[in-house]
């Protein structure tokens, strides 16, 4: 299964989501390929935000090797799921999504009808506690995602 996590800048939320999904999958022995991207071009080539790196390092997840990139059209064919962090990211994705895209493009916190875990708030203008909350929220959604995807099959 191939997953792409998407936020606005690809430096705070989606790199953290990638690291958390990889970690949860590894703990469960599930084979996934994960990448992350931004809908905006502001931070292309940059490392994740230092605050995301530090927050995830506190639980042994290393984001430091990730580099920001922008979503491209090919992503809509190469990934099984494209997981937007908030409603605005989802709207931006839908605006550029080809009609014959094969990926399921959803908001991560509402990846299925019964899942109502909401938007992952943008912590960029927040403080360290915003990044802590982001990590907990992403972990809750990632656990729910794998619970749901693998109980259905
Ligand atoms: P992200 O956070 O979308 O979670 O990576 C942001 C990063 C940068 C900006 C906005 C949000 N920015 O405006 O530069």
């Amino acid at each position: 299964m191939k997953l792409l996590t998407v936020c606005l800048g690809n430096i705070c939320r989606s790199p953290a989501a990638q690291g958390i999904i990889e970690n949860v999958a590894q703990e469960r022995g599930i084979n996934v390929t994960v990448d992350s991207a931004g809908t905006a071009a502001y931070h292309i080539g940059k490392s994740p935000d230092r605050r995301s790196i530090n927050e995830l390092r506190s639980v042994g997840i290393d984001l430091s090797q990730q580099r920001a990139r922008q979503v491209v059209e090919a992503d809509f064919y190469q990934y099984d799921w494209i997981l937007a962090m908030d409603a605005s990211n989802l709207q931006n994705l839908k605006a550029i999504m080809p009609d014959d895209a094969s990926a399921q493009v959803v908001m991560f916190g509402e990846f299925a009808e019964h899942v109502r875990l909401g938007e992952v708030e943008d912590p960029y203008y927040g403080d360290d506690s915003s990044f802590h909350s982001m990590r907990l929220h992403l972990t809750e959604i990632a656990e729910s995602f794998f619970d749901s995807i693998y109980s259905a099959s």
Side-chain angles (χ1 to χ4, degrees):
M1 185 165 61
K2 292 186 70 177
L3 309 175
L4 182 68
T5 60
V6 173
C7 60
L8 178 63
N10 191 209
I11 55 169
C12 298
R13 290 166 291 175
S14 59
Q18 176 182 339
I20 288 167
I21 288 170
E22 287 169 343
N23 187 253
V24 172
Q26 190 183 15
E27 282 172 359
R28 296 183 182 211
I30 296 167
N31 191 18
V32 287
T33 300
V34 193
D35 194 14
S36 71
T39 58
Y42 318 134
H43 300 288
I44 292 172
K46 287 197 203 157
S47 299
D49 188 288
R50 179 54 51 192
R51 296 165 295 176
S52 272
I53 290 178
N54 290 343
E55 179 59 35
L56 273 290
R57 184 174 286 148
S58 76
V59 289
I61 296 174
D62 179 22
L63 306 183
S64 66
Q65 301 310 303
Q66 295 191 36
R67 295 294 177 269
R69 72 170 179 88
Q70 194 170 18
V71 175
V72 295
E73 190 172 326
D75 291 325
F76 291 95
Y77 304 99
Q78 283 174 5
Y79 289 88
D80 299 303
W81 291 84
I82 299 182
L83 304 165
M85 295 296 112
D86 66 26
S88 161
N89 305 149
L90 181 62
Q91 194 176 22
N92 291 335
L93 284 168
K94 293 255 164 102
I96 59 166
M97 177 174 163
D99 289 341
D100 63 345
S102 48
Q104 302 203 59
V105 182
V106 297
M107 198 168 88
F108 190 32
E110 299 186 355
F111 61 83
E113 200 58 48
H114 64 284
V115 180
R116 290 285 171 262
L117 294 171
E119 301 184 283
V120 181
E121 269 182 54
D122 184 353
Y124 188 63
Y125 296 104
D127 56 16
D128 288 348
S129 76
S130 312
F131 283 80
H132 183 69
S133 303
M134 171 197 74
R135 176 173 66 76
L136 299 183
H137 193 188
L138 285 171
T139 304
E140 181 185 19
I141 300 170
E143 299 278 7
S144 173
F145 183 80
F146 285 113
D147 286 348
S148 172
I149 296 302
Y150 285 91
S151 67
S153 59

